Amino acid sequence: MSFYEKASLILPVSPAYKDGALQSYKPFTSEGTFTFLRGSNLSATRINKAGLVEKGRENLFLYSNQFSNSAWSKVNSSVAGGKSGYDESNDAWLLTSSSAGGRLQLNRSEDGINTTSAYFKKGSADGVWLRVDLQNTDASVYVNLINGSKINSSGEIATRIADAGNGWYRVELVADWISVNNVRISPINTSGVVVAGSIFIQDAQLEKGLVATDVIETTNAAKTAGILEDLPRLDYSGGATCPSLLLEGARTNIVAQSEYFGSGYWSKNAPLSIVDNYDQSPEGAGNGSRWVSSGGSYPQLGRTFTGLTIGEKYTASFYVKSDGTTQIQHKSWFTGFAGVDFTPTSEWQRINFSITASATTHNFIIFNNNNNAPSSSFLLWGAQIEAGSYPTSYMPTYGATATRAKEAASLVGTNLLDQDNQTLFIEYTKGGIDSNANTIYATSDGTSGANRMQIVDNDDDVHLYSTASGNNILNNINATLLTNLEKGDTIKVAVAMTASSIKAFANGVQKLNFTNSFSWSVTMDDLYIGARGGSTETSKGQGVKQALVFKTALTDAELATLTTLNNVQ
């Protein structure tokens, strides 16, 4: 009999999402569905099976393909539905303006970098004017729908017109929104003049960032897709074929413009220019920026960050890739620190380094450390600076800082555990190295802490912490399992418990045989991964490969086999 046959719970050997939750492989019922917690925003990302950074996405337009709804004002115009669409559906609309001032209009107030998009096709009018009313100036694009060419544009960060086939074009307008009043859509002629006439329209979308993504249709509320607020992150970092459950602590990206390097937020000296939306980024979208330097004296991109805590560790990270030109070495640092050298390659690589702040203000710089630097160019994306001694997963920003809350998974009140005889097993990769104790895997009687068994990751070691009937029986003094660990190390730990003994094996070796007198006063039927319920501890970025529960105490031989590295159960 294999270990998987004996286990009462298996997670996530063959993981699956079920209704947005993390579902165990065994049992594949509601009893094996973990409650997962992580904040209420879209700041978290993961590396998906294709090796791309996957974000949460949101269409902020209401009634995004219901243009007859009163949310869309029809100024001297009308709409008719049921028309043949770009996607071979009958979900497109005909917008007809009765006068040169006619338009379709939606009021919407947002801040930051946003992309407005919709699909258009010529009707009796030959073009479309897509306009966003901003506080200081408008952002507009005029498009010839006969051939998909841009007639004119103004006030925008970027525009894009993509051929969707059969005369349809997806038009994108990227702008920095400040106190926006409305979005307007009007038929025009090929000279860019607003006219009476008709055009077809389908699937309007407004989303954060520099590019339009796959369509998300909405009704009376904004709708999300991708990595959502409470969706567990099954991560394929490092080219893994089998994912791990990524659990991280709370972090904030203090870089407010993590992808829009051409903005005034980032300072650039004279020999340097930035071309935004130049090429595909690590998320597979066309929002990778290009650094272009004509050479000269120390070409650099930078930003001054204030409000830092003296003595606090901070980690900077960003992605770079060759743009196909000959690459030279560049450098990144905070003022007063050595930083890191890098040379872009043909693959996206994430550059990172950490410092301990010596002042409340430091300048972050990416530059060529040469007073007479040669010309250079490369691709750049995803800047992040966070408090902590190691980098965590990317948190995108579009005009404001972003915070990802700590995350954990739990099964409360499960009958997958046995009070007197049980074995917990977990395989994970070591997260960050710091002094914060973090529960990797635990069983307990709830949040009181009177009865619990915890596998704890603390700095460079792994130890057990346990209480029975309110008495502390195991801790890092008498139950340290592994020491001198490094970030990325693979760890396998199994703890077998009976009414009178606790045995622990780590990476194939017995580390604990505890037989002192103790008793569990109640059934421990709550299970936690990442952080114990009711605690303030934070996860450290460990990647959980698999977690098992057995309703029996495994034998020594079984525990050794189960925890041996490179052993396939």
Side-chain angles (χ1 to χ4, degrees):
M1 178 182 291
S2 73
F3 286 114
Y4 296 144
E5 290 176 297
K6 295 179 69 172
S8 62
L9 178 136
I10 303 173
L11 175 87
V13 175
S14 180
Y17 290 133
K18 182 180 180 182
D19 299 328
L22 183 65
Q23 173 68 54
S24 67
Y25 179 72
K26 178 184 180 182
F28 199 74
T29 64
S30 59
E31 189 177 10
T33 300
F34 280 73
T35 298
F36 188 84
L37 300 176
R38 184 191 58 240
S40 58
N41 57 45
L42 299 178
S43 296
T45 63
R46 70 159 180 166
I47 304 299
N48 64 20
K49 196 171 186 178
L52 300 174
V53 176
E54 184 178 351
K55 302 174 178 176
R57 304 183 295 115
E58 185 173 23
N59 186 356
L60 297 167
F61 277 152
L62 307 187
Y63 302 100
S64 62
N65 197 47
Q66 297 180 25
F67 302 109
S68 60
N69 188 275
S70 60
W72 291 90
S73 300
K74 275 69 71 174
V75 180
N76 297 327
S77 64
S78 62
V79 294
K83 308 303 179 182
S84 179
Y86 70 91
D87 55 357
E88 300 182 352
S89 69
N90 291 317
D91 293 335
W93 297 73
L94 183 68
L95 167 64
T96 302
S97 292
S98 58
S99 69
R103 64 183 181 270
L104 186 63
Q105 178 175 311
L106 180 69
N107 295 333
R108 182 75 201 190
S109 179
E110 288 291 332
D111 289 317
I113 308 304
N114 291 277
T115 296
T116 308
S117 65
Y119 289 84
F120 299 102
K121 181 178 180 179
K122 76 174 296 300
S124 63
D126 293 330
V128 63
W129 177 26
L130 177 60
R131 168 182 166 182
V132 175
D133 284 357
L134 304 176
Q135 184 181 47
N136 298 320
T137 185
D138 298 334
S140 295
V141 60
Y142 301 78
V143 179
N144 181 333
L145 293 176
I146 298 175
N147 56 20
S149 62
K150 183 170 74 172
I151 301 169
N152 195 8
S153 63
S154 62
E156 82 281 13
I157 294 173
T159 60
R160 183 172 181 264
I161 305 165
D163 191 339
N166 296 320
W168 283 92
Y169 296 92
R170 192 181 196 186
V171 179
E172 301 177 27
L173 177 62
V174 187
D176 189 358
W177 284 40
I178 304 173
S179 300
V180 171
N181 294 316
N182 54 63
V183 175
R184 301 183 183 187
I185 299 167
S186 299
I188 60 173
N189 62 24
T190 55
S191 297
V193 177
V194 178
V195 296
S198 63
I199 56 173
F200 294 92
I201 179 174
Q202 188 178 354
D203 289 333
Q205 189 148 300
L206 173 66
E207 54 196 307
K208 296 293 182 186
L210 291 162
V211 290
T213 65
D214 293 344
V215 168
I216 307 171
E217 192 166 330
T218 68
T219 54
N220 61 345
K223 190 174 180 181
T224 54
I227 299 299
L228 309 182
E229 291 94 333
D230 295 327
L231 187 70
R233 294 184 288 164
L234 300 185
D235 188 83
Y236 291 81
S237 292
T241 56
C242 184
S244 59
L245 174 61
L246 180 60
L247 296 167
E248 295 181 302
R251 288 288 183 93
T252 296
N253 185 0
I254 64 173
V255 177
Q257 290 286 8
S258 65
E259 298 172 14
Y260 181 24
F261 295 102
S263 69
Y265 177 87
W266 292 98
S267 63
K268 296 162 280 286
N269 67 350
L272 175 67
S273 63
I274 297 292
V275 183
D276 290 305
N277 285 12
Y278 179 82
D279 204 348
Q280 283 199 335
S281 72
E283 68 169 305
N287 56 348
S289 296
R290 189 188 190 205
W291 159 298
V292 182
S293 168
S294 59
S297 179
Y298 303 109
Q300 61 185 250
L301 174 79
R303 173 75 183 181
T304 299
F305 290 91
T306 61
L308 306 181
T309 301
I310 296 175
E312 182 88 37
K313 289 186 176 181
Y314 291 86
T315 297
S317 59
F318 53 92
Y319 291 82
V320 297
K321 180 185 176 182
S322 169
D323 62 353
T325 63
T326 300
Q327 295 301 307
I328 60 176
Q329 188 179 84
H330 286 73
K331 180 182 283 289
S332 181
W333 67 13
F334 284 95
T335 48
F337 294 90
V340 64
D341 296 323
F342 67 90
T343 302
T345 67
S346 60
E347 301 292 332
W348 282 105
Q349 55 180 318
R350 194 181 191 193
I351 309 300
N352 70 86
F353 65 99
S354 301
I355 62 123
T356 300
S358 57
T360 58
T361 298
H362 281 285
N363 296 324
F364 170 74
I365 304 171
I366 301 173
F367 68 111
N368 187 309
N369 190 22
N370 193 322
N371 188 40
N372 189 24
S375 60
S376 65
S377 62
F378 59 88
L379 304 181
L380 178 65
W381 186 80
Q384 184 159 298
I385 297 174
E386 55 193 311
S389 60
Y390 55 89
T392 63
S393 60
Y394 174 55
M395 293 171 278
T397 63
Y398 309 109
T401 62
T403 297
R404 180 194 61 241
K406 76 171 185 178
E407 51 197 342
S410 63
L411 276 174
V412 177
T414 177
N415 65 7
L416 301 173
L417 299 160
D418 182 82
Q419 178 177 352
D420 295 325
N421 297 279
Q422 60 181 257
T423 300
L424 302 181
F425 167 77
I426 192 161
E427 177 187 358
Y428 72 100
T429 54
K430 176 74 173 176
I433 306 294
D434 61 39
S435 59
N436 295 316
N438 168 216
T439 295
I440 300 299
Y441 200 24
T443 179
S444 80
D445 63 359
T447 60
S448 69
N451 299 274
R452 52 178 157 154
M453 172 59 69
Q454 299 169 243
I455 301 171
V456 178
D457 188 299
N458 182 29
D459 211 359
D460 66 349
D461 70 32
V462 175
H463 66 264
L464 301 182
Y465 182 85
S466 183
T467 57
S469 300
N471 299 312
N472 185 339
I473 58 174
L474 294 175
N475 53 43
N476 61 335
I477 303 299
N478 62 352
T480 295
L481 308 183
L482 296 169
T483 59
N484 299 317
L485 296 167
E486 297 182 357
K487 180 177 172 62
D489 283 351
T490 297
I491 298 162
K492 290 185 175 183
V493 175
V495 182
M497 294 167 278
T498 70
S500 59
S501 69
I502 301 172
K503 291 184 178 182
F505 280 67
N507 291 355
V509 178
Q510 183 171 352
K511 298 290 186 177
L512 179 72
N513 186 4
F514 183 78
T515 58
N516 286 0
S517 177
F518 64 90
S519 64
W520 315 113
S521 60
V522 294
T523 300
M524 296 197 294
D525 56 3
D526 293 351
L527 194 66
Y528 301 94
I529 299 177
R532 183 178 58 82
S535 72
T536 59
E537 64 190 22
T538 183
S539 301
K540 290 193 283 189
Q542 65 272 10
V544 177
K545 301 296 291 184
Q546 56 178 326
L548 309 178
V549 171
F550 302 85
K551 285 188 173 182
T552 183
L554 298 183
T555 66
D556 290 359
E558 289 173 323
L559 293 170
T561 299
L562 186 61
T563 59
T564 297
L565 295 177
N566 301 319
N567 184 50
V568 178
Q569 283 75 56

